[in-house]
Every structure is written in structure tokens, then in C-alpha cells.
Amino acid sequence: MRKKTSIMALAVILVLATCIYSHAAPGRYEQKLSGEGWKLWLDHAAVWHDDDIYLPPVDISRLPVNPPSCGWDKLSLAKGKTVAVPGTVEEHYWGEIGGTIPDVGGDYRGVSWWSTEFYLAPDLAGKRIILAFESVNLRAEVFVNEQLVGYDVIGNTQFEVDAGKAVRFGQKNRLDIRITDPVGNFSWNDNILMRWGKNLIPAVHGFGGITGEIVLKAVDDVSVTDIYVQNTPKPKEANVIVSLDNAGGAEKSGNLTVTVHEWKNPAAVVWQKKVKATVPSDGTEISLKVKAPKAKLWELAGHRTYKEAALYEASVRFASKDGAIEDTDSQRFGFRYFTVGEKNGDKRFYLNGKRVFLIAAMTRGFWPKNGIFATPEMAKRDMEALIDMGYNMMLLHRAIGQPPVMEYADRMGLFTYEEPGGYRVWENKEDNITGPDQMALDQRRIKLERMVIRDRSLPSMVIYNLKNEARRAPDEDDVKNTKIVHELDPSRIITYNSDRNRDINWNERVDPDPYKLHMLPFDDTVHYRGWWDHHHWYAWAGYVDFNYNNPEFYLRGVVNGPTAPAPADSLLRLDESEIIFWGEEGAFGTMVRLQKIKERLETDPPTGFRELEHIDWFEHYDRFLDESGFRSAYPTVDDLTLAMGRNMHYFHGRSLENVRMSNIADGYNLNGWGSASTRTDMVDMYRNPTGDPSILAYYSQPLYVAVKIRDKVQEVGDTPVADFWIINEANLKGKATLEITFKTPDGSTVHSESHPVSIKGGEEFGQLLVKEIKLPALKESGYYMLNARITQNGVEKACGYDDIFAVDITAGFGGAALGAIENDGVVETFLKDTFDVPVDTSGNLRSAETIIVGKHDFGEDAEKYREILDKVVDGATLIVLDKADKWAEALNAVSMSKPPTYEGDGIIRRGNQGRLFVGNSHYLAGLPQAQSMGWEYQFFYQTGNVRGLKLHNWGTETIVALGAQHTKEILKALACVRLGQGKVILSTLNMLPALSSDAPQAAVAKKLLLNLVQTAQD
């Protein structure tokens, strides 16, 4: 009995052994290793700072092995966190590593271990086991069962690891990934080199972790390693270029089958071909030409249109003759062709033979919580926000794009434009770095190559760019890399630089210009002319009327000069024979949607990048609404932040309108999108639009009448002048009628007229229809509306509008005795001309009940301040229009019976960074209320710096507040402080220059001062 049992046991063992060691059936097996259930442990004791680093390809057997500092036995017991992959250290430890404010408080520099287990079935024995990484940041050392099997230090790009020698079949395997995060920043700056010990690293964001998916692949000796679907000038034809690897050591013959079908729908085949294939020991590349006349073209989404673009897959199968080897893979693509063409000497962009105009935003690669990669949810939100505003392109700017973003761009019919990030490798004086060494140059090249190989089949991807705002002409290495990109993907545009040559005056022409280095689809010529990209950093916090003066002089138009009016000889006429790409417009931001972020974090605990900081800022804003009395104007924080974003959205809309109606430019890129901090742009990091999306959507629509009122702010009695253009990407053409109606603030029509027009249509996307229409004089204050529509045979084809704000500064005076302190007479002259009353300018101001302080200099004479403030204590009103900070300091000195009123002066760096906003106030009678101070108040932000005061709210009425994009602090730009029986009105607004200005836009500032005077005795 015992002998029989032994024989049976031996038989079982033999069967199991046969199963374990038998070769697997032919074909590929894939297992996703990323997802839930990973362990993250921070190895604080790890040594990494002075490591040597190694560029691919690496010989694993010659690399140093760095086990966990606690030892392998204790790694599984070490205290850590259970996390998901993709993930970053900062996602899970931001608030624990350091302070949460400022934004670098949670930065972790060093080694982290990411660990999980996976199982390999016995029948996979004999296959090659490959671990495919979508991306990590920055260095990855990959261990399987405590053996080093992989290493990569390029960062944020794809790589693969052969783990076959370390894995065990029929049992669990342990995967440990040692991530080193040695350098990085949390800003847009990708210019400089960074130092990792003795090594130089191209700039990178400062997040460490596994930033993409991980897939285990079990493949036979011959495997498909790459599929490149190359679009051609015939949109329904493409080249499928298949790369096959052979790890078996001997030549293999078989059949290669390529099937093109609808994406994720294998049954919907549009083309298929089988060819004989011989794969030598060092691999091979096979190219097949696809002709699919029944395929649908990949096209741009319609304006604000959500629909799936026409996507296809090239599915590839290799099978050996003996049936022992098989492998399959596929690549997403679209049938389309994007290029530069020319009509009547004008270079233009074309998609599938039709002209297109690019409306782009630029993202810097920052995302919520983890900081550096897009989740599928966020990638979708990103592209949906793009569509909601009417954009058709996303610039992946200063940081390589992420696959989920590219997928949604492909699916939604949106273009992408990509920079690898970190390419400039400039010296870094702070770290005593003089310039790139060969290793740094090699790192940037490898990253660039990987980016191109990863994305060259994607229909959304149309332009590669090396550098943003290069300040040095390309060297031999730049030219070499440009040619490498073109060789890897000859079907797309590659440019050296985004921005113009700033070594020359912007009116000059250099031909050839090295900064214009670019290559075009299927053109092996290196061009130094034909591509003109210009960046502007807008000086003000919103739209100003001199952005459009007349049809011959307007911002970014046919004739273009600096952002302020300039002599005719300094204007620049754009050159139609080049692509004209306004590559970075605006450069000003607004506050993020603090309330929307807070609401999100109420359901998703704030453990990640800057999340607690956003909550802190929300609470600061929420307290401000209560303490300032602005809650009546802005019921919620979201109401306020949306109002603050309105100016930026409106500016971009009107500027985009100028560019489109000129019919000269080919693309417009709005700066920017989802920045890392509270310095944000059209959307915040969470992809919440910072203003009403319909503002920009109006100006991005394919067909409308662009109504251009030359001065949108005027005084009652003025006569407006307007011009009328058509934005026309809908091929409206032929004879038509332009009908105009002008309405008063109460909605009554006071004027109408019509004009015959002839519309060109076709590729003429913008056209002047009628110019210099004089409208009736404005008879009352408020908003006037100028509507226009185009009809053909009585049927409306297009419409549009513009509005005017009229200001009445003729109101009578209440009778209080006026006085002025000034050394130039500006205030006195204005008050006398306006009210026709005497103004006391004597030194003692004995009779003055209301005193206005103009330009003056008391120096450090505290007695002069006290003398005037004593009059306020006795009941006078003091209106300070100059040196408000000095007067605020003086207030502290006479207000010792209560907490100090003044804490300091605040200057919002650069005028376009600050957001002036108002609540509801009797001081604003006849002026817009409960809004961010937009174009109606443009005179106030037409200066360099916008300033405010740090004033306590005790006894203070805020009239105009000042917020910004980079601080939670809300300052006071116009405030009334009670002092004894009187009050002091402190202003940091740009009001004094308005009093002597003839500009119609100055009327709002004049009106505000009159209101302050009129209500002085309230």
C-alpha cells in the first residue's frame, strides 16, 4: 500500500514538473501591474546624492546595486503607506514632510521604495518577461525578487525592462522600484540645468514617483516592439511601419498581418494585408502602405462640440511558419494630414486640404494632488474645458505631455503641440553651473527621441518644438536634434524655438534668421525663414481701448506695434509669406477657483500637492467677504473669483478677435493653462475655468460679426465711432446686408442703418465690411449696446455686438467747502472746472470741510500730517490721492486708542498681476458695482504697478479691493477710515493723472472722485 502511494505521488510530481517547465502556447500575455495595493516607503537613510548616473542602454550586470537601507527582510515590515500607482511621494506626504505653505513645503528629495507582488502562471515559462513603464520621475532602479533587472534616469518617458532572469513561474514575485527624486522645481521654469551631486540634469518638475502605468508583457522570441503609423499627404493613405525584435538568436520566418479597423472595434475593418516576413537575429522593420478610401477622416471638433473623432487602430500580428511564435500589438491613429500650405503668397495651416486657424492654450504639466501626471478623469476635464472655450489646440509647454491627455485630444478632435521640457539646459548661476556637459546633452536628446517615438502616430500631435523662448541661436547640436526628430517622424512640423529672435529689434528682418529654424512635413530642407512666432507679456490687468484704434492700427492685427500707441514708423507690418503664430499672449493670471477646489477636497481628503494651502486661501477669502461687507456683492467665494477672472477672459477674447479678423495670422496661443500655483490662467490646476467659458466661446465661434467700437468708455455727450468686420470660417460668401441697431441703457433703439456688403468667404477668415460709422451722441449714463447682423435675402446668417459705458460727470455739487493740498494745481483746476466753486489751497485750510490731497511731499514732517488729521477728528473729510501709505502711517500715530489701522504697503508685482474689484457702495453711484474692475475701469490699471494698503477692517469701509494671483492677501486700493468725527479716504488708484487727461476712459476716474467729494459729508 505504501509503495503504491509513493508511485502515485511521483506521478503527480512528474505531471506538475511537466506543467511548470513546459513551454507556453504561442502569443502575447499582458498583465497590468499598476493600480491599487502598492506600498510606498521613504528611505530617508538611503545614500544617493553623490551617485554616478548611467544613460541608456545600460548593462545591468555592471551597475551598483542599492538595496533598501533597512535591508530586504525588513522592507516589507517598514512603516509606509498603501498607495496606488501611478503616484508621487508628494501626493501622499505633502503635509507631513514639511509645512504646507509655501508651496515647496512638502518637497521630498531622496529615495522612495514602491513595492507590490505579481503572479506568473506556470504556462508562461519560456517566454520573455518584459516590464513596460510609461514613465517615472526621475531615476528608477527596478528589482524583481531582490535582483536588479532595470535602470532608467531619463525621466517622464517610456522604457522597458527584461525581468526574465529574475522571475519565478507558478508563484508570487516581488517587484520593488527604487525611485530617486534628486532635483526639481514647482514652477514653469525649465531653462536651467540642475545639479545632482557631480551630475548635471536638464530641468524637471520636483515630484518623485511612478508617474505612469506599468504593464508586464510575456512575449515569444520574436515580438512587435513598435508600430508607427505615418500619415501622408493623401489623408486616406498611411504607412504602417512595424519594428520586430528577435531575441532567439536565429532568423525566423513567418507572416505579418496588418489590419486597420475602427478604434476598439476590431470588426469594422477598412484595410488588411498579409505579407511574408523574415526577422533576422538583430530584428527588422517592415513598412506597408495603407489605402483606405472608405475610412473616415480625423477632423477637428466643431465649435464647442463634444463628439468622438474618427479613430482607427493598426493591429499587427506576426506568426512564425512553424507556429511556435506569435505576437500581436496595436497602435491608435487617425487618417488625416496637417501641413503648411500657401495661397496667393500667404503661408497657412491646412488640415486634410482645408485651411485651419489654431486657437491654443499652453499648459505647463501640473496636475492636482500628485502634481505631475494626469489621471484619466483630469485629462478628460482638461480637454472638455478646452472645448467649452472654443479652443482647438493644447500646447504641452515646457513639460512633456502625458498619454491620457493625448488620448482625450485624439478622441475629441483637438490638436496638440509638444515640447519635451528641460531642453534649454542653460547655466545655473545659483548652483555654480556654467553650462551643459555631454551627459546633459545626451539626456535631453534621448528624452526628445522617446517623446517623438511615443507620440508620432497620434492624430492630435501636429508640431514638435525644442525650446520655448530661446535667447541663443541654435548650435550644431540643436540642428542635429532637429534632423533626428524629422528622421524619426518626417510627417510633422518641427521648430527650434517658440518666440522670435530677440537679438534684433522686432521691426527688423534677418534673412535667414537662425531662430526660425524649422522643418516641414516630408521636406528634408532645414528652413531658416517661413516661421514667425512672437510672444507678448501683456502689461495690464484687462482690456484697454487702444488695443483697437482703427482698422489700420490694432493689437496683433494687419499693422502691429507695441501694446501702446506708437508713431507710424515704429509699427510692424506682418509678413504673409511666413507662418505667423502669436505663440504666447497675455502672461497674466487670476485667482484660482478656491471654492470649487475646497468642495472637491471635502470628498477627497487634502493630502497632496498644495491642497491644504488652497483651503487656507479659501478661508482667507471667505473671511474677507464677511469682514469687508462685500458679501452682499459676492454671496460666495466662487462668485468673487469668477468675477476676478472675467478681465483676463475678456482680454483674450477681444485680442483673439483682432487676430482672426485680420486674416493674416495663422494661430493664437493664450497664456496659459493650469499653472502649478495660485498663479493661474484660463483654468486652474484642477481644470476649473477661472471665468465664464462663454466669454471666450463667443470670440472663438466660427462665424460672427466683430463689432469694434473705438472707445468703449465715453462721457455723456460724446459721439461713438465703430467699425464692422466678419469672422468667417464657415464659408459664408456673396452679396449680403449689414444691419446695425444702437440701443440706450433702457433697451430703446435710437438708431438703425443698413449697408450692402460683399463677403469673400472661402479661406478669407476675416474681412473688414464697413468702417467709421458715427453713432448718435450719448445722452445718459449706463451701458449702450451696438448690435449688428448679416442677412441674405432677409435671412440672418451672422450676428455680433459690442457695448459702451457712458459716464455722466456733470452732476451738481452739494456745497461743502473744498480744499486742496498739492504742488501742481491739478486737483484745484479740476474742481474749479467741474463745480465752478472756490478751492482753498492755503496752508491752514481753515474753511475746508472736504480736503483733497494731490501730488505733494511732506517728507518726514509728522506735524504736517497731524495738523490735517486733527481737522478730520473735528469733522472734516480727507481724500488722499497721493502717498496714501504715508497718510496711513500717520493714521496709526493718532489712533492709539484702538488697534493700528495700517500694517504696510502692498505692491502687486507688474500691473497685470493685480485684480481691482468693487462691491456695492454709494461711493460708486453711476459706476459699475459688484464686479472686478474691467474695461469700464481701464484707466486705473493702465499703469505699471497696481498698489494697495494693508488695512485692518476695524472702522474701515472697503470701496475698492485688490487681490492677486500669487497671494491670499487682499489689499485695499480705496477705503474710508473713520477718525473722530470725520473720515479719511485713502486711495492708491491711478486717479490723479485722470484729472488732467482728455482721454474718454478717464471719465470713470473723474466720476469716482466726484462721488467721493459729493458723499464726503454723509
Side-chain angles (χ1 to χ4, degrees):
M1 186 73 177
R2 183 177 300 167
K3 185 176 181 179
K4 183 176 180 181
T5 303
S6 299
I7 294 173
M8 291 179 64
L10 179 62
V12 170
I13 291 171
L14 290 172
V15 169
L16 288 173
T18 302
C19 293
I20 292 173
Y21 295 106
S22 64
H23 286 288
R28 174 180 296 210
Y29 165 81
E30 290 191 356
Q31 178 183 346
K32 183 177 176 181
L33 300 184
S34 46
E36 301 290 339
W38 285 68
K39 180 182 176 181
L40 167 61
W41 177 65
L42 305 188
D43 194 347
H44 293 284
V47 177
W48 58 271
H49 187 269
D50 295 320
D51 285 357
D52 291 324
I53 64 173
Y54 306 91
L55 300 186
V58 294
D59 182 351
I60 292 295
S61 66
R62 304 184 67 176
L63 296 187
V65 177
N66 298 304
S69 63
C70 64
W72 287 112
D73 292 341
K74 294 182 180 179
L75 179 59
S76 60
L77 303 175
K79 184 178 180 181
K81 292 189 177 185
T82 301
V83 300
V85 166
T88 63
V89 173
E90 287 75 12
E91 174 181 359
H92 301 287
Y93 285 96
W94 189 263
E96 298 178 29
I97 296 169
T100 59
I101 302 169
D103 66 341
V104 293
D107 185 21
Y108 176 70
R109 300 288 176 91
V111 169
S112 57
W113 287 88
W114 302 71
S115 304
T116 192
E117 293 182 336
F118 64 91
Y119 175 79
L120 285 176
D123 61 4
L124 293 176
K127 290 186 180 291
R128 297 173 60 211
I129 305 301
I130 305 296
L131 300 178
F133 289 80
E134 202 170 66
S135 68
V136 304
N137 194 45
L138 178 66
R139 178 178 66 179
E141 296 164 275
V142 183
F143 293 84
V144 173
N145 298 323
E146 303 178 11
Q147 294 184 49
L148 180 66
V149 297
Y151 178 102
D152 192 79
V153 76
I154 300 304
N156 298 294
T157 56
Q158 72 280 11
F159 66 96
E160 293 190 345
V161 169
D162 189 336
K165 294 181 180 180
V167 297
R168 303 165 186 154
F169 297 94
Q171 56 185 291
K172 286 185 178 180
N173 293 266
R174 183 175 178 85
L175 173 62
D176 296 290
I177 303 170
R178 185 180 191 260
I179 296 293
T180 308
D181 173 10
V183 294
N185 63 26
F186 298 95
S187 77
W188 53 267
N189 188 348
D190 75 327
N191 301 331
I192 60 174
L193 283 162
M194 297 177 172
R195 186 177 294 283
W196 174 359
K198 62 187 176 183
N199 306 300
L200 299 181
I201 303 295
V204 67
H205 290 165
F207 304 92
I210 302 172
T211 54
E213 304 291 349
I214 305 174
V215 175
L216 181 150
K217 299 186 292 186
V219 298
D220 298 332
D221 283 344
V222 175
S223 61
V224 179
T225 57
D226 184 62
I227 303 169
Y228 167 33
V229 183
Q230 184 185 84
N231 297 110
T232 72
K234 294 182 179 180
K236 293 191 178 183
E237 297 182 8
N239 299 314
V240 177
I241 303 167
V242 181
S243 297
L244 297 169
D245 185 30
N246 186 351
E251 181 178 276
K252 295 291 182 181
S253 296
N255 292 315
L256 182 74
T257 303
V258 177
T259 304
V260 176
H261 56 82
E262 291 180 1
W263 186 49
K264 296 185 177 180
N265 185 10
V269 175
V270 296
W271 184 89
Q272 187 177 64
K273 189 170 185 177
K274 180 189 287 187
V275 296
K276 293 182 179 180
T278 299
V279 186
S281 60
D282 58 350
T284 191
E285 185 178 272
I286 298 173
S287 180
L288 298 177
K289 190 172 187 62
V290 175
K291 294 183 178 181
K294 294 183 179 180
K296 299 175 184 177
L297 292 178
W298 186 92
E299 296 179 321
L300 286 174
H303 184 254
R304 303 191 86 183
T305 301
Y306 289 89
K307 67 176 183 180
E308 289 285 323
L311 290 177
Y312 289 85
E313 275 184 270
S315 293
V316 174
R317 177 178 179 270
F318 173 81
S320 62
K321 283 184 178 179
D322 58 10
I325 292 176
E326 180 182 321
D327 196 36
T328 57
D329 204 358
S330 66
Q331 174 63 57
R332 180 179 76 247
F333 78 101
F335 286 100
R336 66 106 181 101
Y337 188 63
F338 180 85
T339 191
V340 172
E342 187 173 312
K343 183 174 182 179
N344 300 327
D346 183 2
K347 279 192 169 62
R348 298 170 174 179
F349 291 125
Y350 289 85
L351 174 65
N352 303 330
K354 298 178 182 178
R355 184 189 180 191
V356 292
F357 180 86
L358 304 183
I359 306 176
M362 49 183 276
T363 183
R364 297 177 174 92
F366 289 94
W367 298 90
K369 196 170 282 291
N370 66 73
I372 198 172
F373 64 84
T375 63
E377 177 222 352
M378 277 295 159
K380 184 180 181 183
R381 283 174 61 90
D382 199 43
M383 295 298 104
E384 287 177 344
L386 204 69
I387 289 174
D388 285 345
M389 294 181 194
Y391 295 45
N392 57 29
M393 174 181 257
M394 179 64 78
L395 271 64
L396 304 164
H397 167 77
R398 293 185 181 264
I400 192 170
Q402 296 92 15
V405 173
M406 312 299 274
E407 177 179 327
Y408 275 100
D410 288 348
R411 292 173 58 177
M412 293 182 171
L414 298 165
F415 285 141
T416 54
Y417 162 124
E418 191 166 26
E419 297 171 3
Y423 184 88
R424 277 169 71 166
V425 294
W426 278 7
E427 66 272 8
N428 182 349
K429 294 180 180 179
E430 290 184 9
D431 293 334
N432 196 29
I433 297 173
T434 57
D437 57 13
Q438 188 58 49
M439 179 173 283
L441 295 176
D442 289 344
Q443 286 177 75
R444 73 173 187 176
R445 174 184 51 77
I446 296 168
K447 183 179 182 182
L448 177 66
E449 291 172 340
R450 287 183 179 181
M451 179 188 83
V452 173
I453 291 169
R454 185 192 72 181
D455 297 336
R456 61 186 175 177
S457 298
L458 305 181
S460 64
M461 244 305 302
V462 293
I463 301 172
Y464 304 115
N465 182 61
L466 299 185
K467 296 182 182 180
N468 182 74
E469 296 173 1
R471 297 295 177 264
R472 297 164 190 169
D475 57 23
E476 291 183 4
D477 196 58
D478 295 313
V479 176
K480 174 185 174 182
N481 287 338
T482 301
K483 291 179 178 179
I484 287 173
V485 171
H486 183 74
E487 183 177 355
L488 288 171
D489 182 6
S491 72
R492 284 175 176 78
I493 298 166
I494 169 68
T495 57
Y496 163 70
N497 185 39
S498 174
D499 197 18
R500 67 179 179 87
N501 182 352
R502 293 185 180 267
D503 293 339
I504 61 174
N505 183 289
W506 83 321
N507 294 336
E508 292 181 54
R509 286 284 187 266
V510 174
D511 194 6
D513 185 340
Y515 287 81
K516 295 179 180 178
L517 165 64
H518 67 284
M519 297 184 76
L520 298 173
F522 300 108
D523 178 356
D524 294 335
T525 306
V526 178
H527 295 277
Y528 292 94
R529 191 185 185 285
W531 189 279
W532 190 79
D533 184 326
H534 195 10
H535 292 191
H536 293 91
W537 306 287
Y538 194 67
W540 300 288
Y543 180 80
V544 292
D545 278 336
F546 54 74
N547 284 359
Y548 181 86
N549 288 272
N550 56 57
E552 284 72 45
F553 180 30
Y554 56 95
L555 191 72
R556 314 292 178 256
V558 178
V559 181
N560 203 344
T563 51
D569 61 1
S570 71
L571 301 181
L572 173 69
R573 289 194 174 274
L574 303 178
D575 188 346
E576 292 181 332
S577 67
E578 298 189 296
I579 284 292
I580 296 169
F581 195 96
W582 298 112
E584 186 172 317
E585 290 294 322
F588 65 106
T590 187
M591 181 50 68
V592 301
R593 296 283 291 281
L594 294 170
Q595 184 168 335
K596 300 288 283 187
I597 296 170
K598 173 183 174 291
E599 290 169 354
R600 179 182 180 91
L601 296 179
E602 286 174 344
T603 59
D604 187 5
T607 59
F609 175 52
R610 299 201 71 177
E611 290 181 329
L612 288 174
E613 183 175 8
H614 285 116
I615 292 177
D616 176 61
W617 286 35
F618 166 82
E619 292 172 349
H620 191 91
Y621 263 59
D622 201 42
R623 286 195 302 272
F624 165 80
L625 291 179
D626 288 327
E627 294 173 357
S628 66
F630 273 43
R631 182 75 71 180
S632 64
Y634 307 99
T636 68
V637 170
D638 203 48
D639 293 322
L640 174 54
T641 55
L642 274 174
M644 293 172 73
R646 165 181 172 255
N647 288 6
M648 181 177 60
H649 286 244
Y650 185 78
F651 157 78
H652 276 301
R654 297 314 299 255
S655 186
L656 174 62
E657 181 176 72
N658 286 0
V659 172
R660 297 178 73 201
M661 72 194 191
S662 74
N663 199 42
I664 297 293
D666 304 290
Y668 180 95
N669 170 39
L670 295 75
N671 181 6
W673 193 269
S675 298
S677 65
T678 45
R679 183 253 183 264
T680 195
D681 301 282
M682 308 307 288
V683 301
D684 61 28
M685 190 168 62
Y686 293 77
R687 275 50 187 181
N688 300 307
T690 54
D692 185 344
S694 66
I695 297 172
L696 191 59
Y698 173 83
Y699 295 103
S700 62
Q701 61 184 311
L703 176 65
Y704 73 100
V705 182
V707 182
K708 309 294 288 189
I709 296 173
R710 297 186 183 182
D711 290 299
K712 286 172 60 63
V713 180
Q714 300 195 26
E715 291 185 30
V716 170
D718 288 348
T719 301
V721 177
D723 307 306
F724 299 84
W725 303 68
I726 187 171
I727 305 294
N728 185 12
E729 296 182 25
N731 195 28
L732 180 67
K733 57 184 175 181
K735 294 182 178 180
T737 301
L738 175 69
E739 300 176 1
I740 302 166
T741 57
F742 190 50
K743 295 186 176 183
T744 62
D746 67 2
S748 302
T749 299
V750 292
H751 181 77
S752 61
E753 59 183 278
S754 61
H755 299 266
V757 294
S758 180
I759 301 171
K760 297 176 183 179
E763 290 190 11
E764 303 308 298
F765 286 178
Q767 179 187 345
L768 177 64
L769 298 178
V770 179
K771 66 178 181 178
E772 204 168 356
I773 298 297
K774 293 181 173 58
L775 301 169
L778 308 174
K779 294 185 177 180
E780 57 184 306
S781 63
Y783 289 97
Y784 289 74
M785 183 68 69
L786 179 58
N787 292 303
R789 68 177 196 148
I790 292 172
T791 62
Q792 287 182 328
N793 300 319
V795 178
E796 182 178 301
K797 298 294 184 178
C799 61
Y801 67 90
D802 200 0
D803 51 359
I804 299 171
F805 185 72
V807 186
D808 185 2
I809 61 171
T810 63
F813 174 57
L818 301 179
I821 300 172
E822 61 180 337
N823 57 26
D824 60 4
V826 169
V827 173
E828 179 186 10
T829 300
F830 173 72
L831 293 175
K832 284 183 176 180
D833 291 347
T834 304
F835 294 134
D836 192 24
V837 296
V839 178
D840 184 357
T841 58
S842 65
N844 54 35
L845 299 168
R846 290 176 181 172
S847 62
E849 299 172 84
T850 300
I851 304 167
I852 299 98
V853 180
K855 188 175 181 181
H856 70 293
D857 188 3
F858 282 180
E860 301 302 320
D861 190 346
E863 287 302 315
K864 286 189 177 181
Y865 292 103
R866 180 174 289 276
E867 178 183 342
I868 302 301
L869 291 175
D870 283 344
K871 294 182 180 294
V872 176
V873 172
D874 291 336
T877 295
L878 183 68
I879 302 173
V880 179
L881 305 181
D882 181 45
K883 296 183 175 62
D885 53 338
K886 297 296 184 182
W887 285 93
E889 288 177 4
L891 270 174
N892 278 357
V894 299
S895 304
M896 300 309 293
S897 61
K898 62 179 181 179
T901 300
Y902 176 62
E903 292 183 314
D905 182 33
I907 300 177
I908 305 303
R909 61 176 192 266
R910 294 181 61 188
N912 65 9
Q913 309 292 295
R915 287 290 171 275
L916 297 164
F917 59 96
V918 296
N920 296 311
S921 173
H922 60 292
Y923 289 108
L924 301 172
L927 295 173
Q929 302 191 40
Q931 64 149 260
S932 183
M933 295 173 82
W935 57 265
E936 301 93 331
Y937 288 99
Q938 61 186 266
F939 197 90
F940 290 131
Y941 54 71
Q942 289 178 22
T943 60
N945 288 323
V946 179
R947 304 177 64 203
L949 303 175
K950 296 179 182 178
L951 294 171
H952 281 296
N953 289 311
W954 300 304
T956 302
E957 178 184 353
T958 305
I959 305 167
V960 178
L962 174 61
Q965 60 183 33
H966 62 280
T967 173
K968 67 183 179 183
E969 194 94 49
I970 299 176
L971 308 177
K972 292 173 172 56
L974 183 62
C976 179
V977 181
R978 293 286 177 178
L979 182 63
Q981 300 300 310
K983 55 189 175 183
V984 179
I985 297 175
L986 298 169
S987 172
T988 61
L989 297 171
N990 184 38
M991 198 175 300
L992 278 174
L995 305 186
S996 57
S997 173
D998 293 329
Q1001 296 78 15
V1004 169
K1006 295 174 183 176
K1007 175 66 174 175
L1008 180 55
L1009 177 59
L1010 296 180
N1011 286 351
L1012 298 179
V1013 173
Q1014 292 283 37
T1015 58
Q1017 301 304 314
D1018 291 354

